[in-house]
Amino acid sequence: QVQLVESGGGLVQAGGSLRLSCAASGRAFSTYDMAWFRQAPGKERQFVAAINWSGGSTSYADSVKGRFTISRDSAKNTVYLQMNSLKPEDTAVYYCAADPSAYGSGRYFGSHYNYWGQGTQVTVSS
């Protein structure tokens, strides 16, 4: 069982930066694949980024590639999403997700993750 708690969201101007954190409880965190998804009002949940259990492989949505970086610190049981050059279209609730075996072809799909955080709001003003 893994519990996830996101933090770091807020209001930022376009072009600014934020770093989201996702703190995980549970001894098996280091064996879990992790991901960030987001959902804007009236829109479907969207894949943002994923990282495999070792941190050796990452994937990004085209819309954030080159601007966002996902990383993990297993000693702190935490996964991060560094967001730079933010745009108004990045405004959404950002969710952290975890699963023991999501980092395959299904890593882009929320249905492949069994554990979710409560979300943190990111608002980018123009």
Side-chain angles (χ1 to χ4, degrees):
Q1 188 80 12
V2 174
Q3 292 184 323
L4 306 172
V5 179
E6 302 97 332
S7 62
L11 174 64
V12 64
Q13 289 188 331
S17 298
L18 283 175
R19 188 176 80 157
L20 304 184
S21 298
C22 174
S25 65
R27 293 173 291 176
F29 170 78
S30 62
T31 66
Y32 277 63
D33 301 320
M34 305 292 295
W36 289 94
F37 288 78
R38 67 187 181 186
Q39 188 166 20
K43 295 188 176 181
E44 294 186 353
R45 184 175 57 194
Q46 178 186 38
F47 169 79
V48 176
I51 187 166
N52 75 332
W53 66 273
S54 70
S57 186
T58 58
S59 298
Y60 297 93
D62 288 343
S63 58
V64 307
K65 203 170 293 183
R67 299 188 298 122
F68 291 11
T69 302
I70 188 171
S71 62
R72 65 190 299 160
D73 185 337
S74 291
K76 295 182 178 180
N77 276 14
T78 301
V79 64
Y80 303 99
L81 185 69
Q82 177 67 44
M83 305 186 295
N84 299 328
S85 302
L86 282 161
K87 304 175 181 180
E89 52 263 43
D90 295 318
T91 295
V93 177
Y94 283 70
Y95 297 92
C96 177
D99 194 85
S101 57
Y103 203 86
S105 57
R107 61 187 177 271
Y108 307 104
F109 304 101
S111 59
H112 284 247
Y113 296 85
N114 280 320
Y115 303 103
W116 292 84
Q118 83 289 349
T120 185
Q121 176 70 47
V122 172
T123 303
V124 184
S125 63
S126 57

